[in-house]
Amino acid sequence: MDVPAIDEALEKLPSHEATYRRLRDMVLFGELAPGQAVTIQGLTEKLESGMTPVREAIRRLTAEGALEFQDNRRVCVPRLTAAQLEELAFAKLALEPHLTCLALRNATPQSIAHVAAIDAELDTAIAAGDVSGYLRHNYRFHFAIYDIADAPILTAIAQSLWLRFAPSLRVVCGRIGTDNLPDQHTEAVAAMRANDADALRQAIIEDMTQGIQQVRLALANGKI
Amino acid sequence: MDVPAIDEALEKLPSHEATYRRLRDMVLFGELAPGQAVTIQGLTEKLESGMTPVREAIRRLTAEGALEFQDNRRVCVPRLTAAQLEELAFAKLALEPHLTCLALRNATPQSIAHVAAIDAELDTAIAAGDVSGYLRHNYRFHFAIYDIADAPILTAIAQSLWLRFAPSLRVVCGRIGTDNLPDQHTEAVAAMRANDADALRQAIIEDMTQGIQQVRLALANGKI
DNA sequence: CTTTCACATATATGATCAAAATTAAACGGG
DNA sequence: CCCGTTTAATTTTGATCATATATGTGAAAG
């Protein structure tokens, strides 16, 4: 039950879906910076896709808040204002701790072990100072838990929140390295093993609060 | 500074944007029932638009949860499960009362009067038993407040929640008429005038809870 | 009941048109 | 004469459409 290579898995999907996922990952894992413009033609070359699939991927990501129409019908990665960051902070704290706790209903030793394995990969990336790996495994950690929760609507909203948050977090990571980044994951895994909802909620709240605070500081200093 | 007629306003937009808005309104205001299938070709005729704009509108609305891909590549309006309704209920109560209260920061006598005017139209629709008018003005009421709140990210999430909720609410309205539908709007307007955040939050919580409860009952009875 | 074939539908391409940005040139004030 | 502004030409980019391809659906035949 090994995971097939990424490109191999994408081959079997319709082009618009594969294009969407590749572009989404570019936003999530730091290939696109806040404020950066994207063009349809540029993406057709970079993603080796036709114009129609690229346009549809852009529409979807725009609807999810990962991209933004400008007045002049160009598209770019949104730059967060301080007010918008507070909106994100509220929504993340209002939804994601709850969503994480929903996973306890369905968690099994196997599924918890899977989450723990991702946490181990995350620790490796942190130790190596691998910013891109940190972002990728941090995302995988939280959404592996959301998969267990089996709550598609809340997970979709969380996805949108991460898409809006990721580019700014990427900038912060690049500045401060991986050492000072949030990692309450060990506590979270322990709470899952103990089936302790309160401790799990607290770990996730602290994890998110730390990340938000880092972005808040960078934003206040005009570094984003 | 008069508002142009709706069709006139849509004329000036790119076709894919106008198509998106028309299709969105069809979902919001009850022209499409839960489970109903939509085809690209059918929409090109109904919306008098080309194939490309329709496809892009469908992609956007799918990302917002208003439509859903099926395993075969057809598209339909999602049918809520009981579990998904509870997800929606949680998210609505976690976000929308807060978002409503944010409006108090920016509310002016003029903007409150505008909200009150919509409430009057809503009452007229209720008195007339006009289900479509109820849905439309109820939406306008809440989103007029969200406009005042000036919180684009939370408002976008609320939009997605309404898109997911509306088709089921439409079914309920058609069954029970307009008399038993939630209307804590008078209390909400009064709370806004009094700048009373606690009363405002309470009015909105009760308003949403009533609507959710109606859908919950209908869903439990298999009427949706 | 399965296979096959025809039809309906979705997917994807490339061409064409329209709009906007960019560059280049012309102009005028200092 | 120089610099900033405006205006015109070029080029890039986005929007839309017509069409070709691929896929899934359903009906008819074996």
Side-chain angles (χ1 to χ4, degrees), chain A residues 119-175:
Chain A
D119 187 35
E121 294 185 67
L122 177 57
D123 287 337
T124 302
I126 290 177
D130 172 7
V131 170
S132 176
Y134 169 83
L135 292 167
R136 192 172 292 268
H137 295 308
N138 188 43
Y139 172 87
R140 288 178 60 217
F141 178 85
H142 288 276
F143 280 81
I145 298 177
Y146 299 161
D147 271 351
I148 299 170
D150 191 28
I153 293 178
L154 293 177
T155 300
I157 298 173
Q159 166 96 260
S160 166
L161 297 174
W162 279 69
L163 283 168
R164 295 177 190 268
F165 192 65
S168 297
L169 183 62
R170 169 70 180 81
V171 173
V172 172
C173 287
R175 296 188 74 77

Side-chain angles (χ1 to χ4, degrees), chain A residues 91-105 145-146 149 151 154 197 200-202 204-205 208, chain B residues 83 86-91 94:
Chain A
K92 281 176 81 70
L93 288 168
L95 299 179
E96 297 197 51
H98 174 75
L99 177 53
T100 302
C101 288
L102 285 181
L104 284 183
R105 295 177 311 181
I145 298 177
Y146 299 161
L154 293 177
L200 178 57
R201 174 175 287 107
Q202 199 54 41
I204 298 300
I205 289 174
M208 315 216 118
Chain B
E86 296 313 315
E87 289 183 64
L88 266 183
F90 176 82

Side-chain angles (χ1 to χ4, degrees), chain A residues 14-16 50 52-53 72-74:
Chain A
S15 175
H16 67 86
T52 306
N72 47 343
R73 67 186 186 172
R74 298 290 168 89

Side-chain angles (χ1 to χ4, degrees), chain A residues 5-216:
Chain A
I6 290 181
D7 286 347
E8 190 178 332
L10 291 182
E11 292 298 337
K12 299 167 183 174
L13 293 169
S15 175
H16 67 86
E17 183 70 29
T19 304
Y20 163 77
R21 295 191 191 191
R22 278 196 279 250
L23 187 51
R24 184 195 62 188
D25 286 358
M26 286 173 67
V27 175
L28 275 178
F29 304 131
E31 283 196 64
L32 295 172
Q36 184 167 343
V38 298
T39 66
I40 293 175
Q41 294 188 15
L43 291 176
T44 58
E45 295 170 13
K46 176 146 195 162
L47 302 177
E48 293 175 337
S49 179
M51 186 175 298
T52 306
V54 167
R55 286 179 65 81
E56 294 182 11
I58 288 176
R59 297 296 176 230
R60 284 176 69 178
L61 287 162
T62 301
E64 293 179 316
L67 298 173
E68 187 174 57
F69 279 116
Q70 299 176 122
D71 46 3
N72 47 343
R73 67 186 186 172
R74 298 290 168 89
V75 174
C76 68
V77 179
R79 210 184 291 270
L80 285 183
T81 65
Q84 287 171 347
L85 176 60
E86 296 312 316
E87 289 183 64
L88 267 184
F90 176 83
K92 281 176 81 70
L93 288 168
L95 299 179
E96 297 197 51
H98 174 75
L99 177 53
T100 302
C101 288
L102 285 181
L104 284 183
R105 295 177 311 181
N106 309 322
T108 64
Q110 290 76 34
S111 61
I112 295 175
H114 180 229
V115 172
I118 296 174
D119 187 35
E121 294 185 67
L122 177 57
D123 287 337
T124 302
I126 290 177
D130 172 7
V131 170
S132 176
Y134 169 83
L135 292 167
R136 192 172 292 268
H137 295 308
N138 188 43
Y139 172 87
R140 288 178 60 217
F141 178 85
H142 288 276
F143 280 81
I145 298 177
Y146 299 161
D147 271 351
I148 299 170
D150 191 28
I153 293 178
L154 293 177
T155 300
I157 298 173
Q159 166 96 260
S160 166
L161 297 174
W162 279 69
L163 283 168
R164 295 177 190 268
F165 192 65
S168 297
L169 183 62
R170 169 70 180 81
V171 173
V172 172
C173 287
R175 296 188 74 77
I176 68 176
T178 54
D179 284 343
N180 297 324
L181 285 169
D183 185 6
Q184 303 294 126
H185 297 171
T186 305
E187 289 79 354
V189 170
M192 288 185 75
R193 289 206 172 98
N195 199 39
D196 183 341
D198 288 338
L200 178 57
R201 174 175 287 107
Q202 199 54 41
I204 298 300
I205 289 174
E206 287 180 22
D207 190 61
M208 315 216 118
T209 302
Q210 286 178 23
I212 291 163
Q213 187 60 19
Q214 297 282 7
V215 174
R216 206 179 262 139

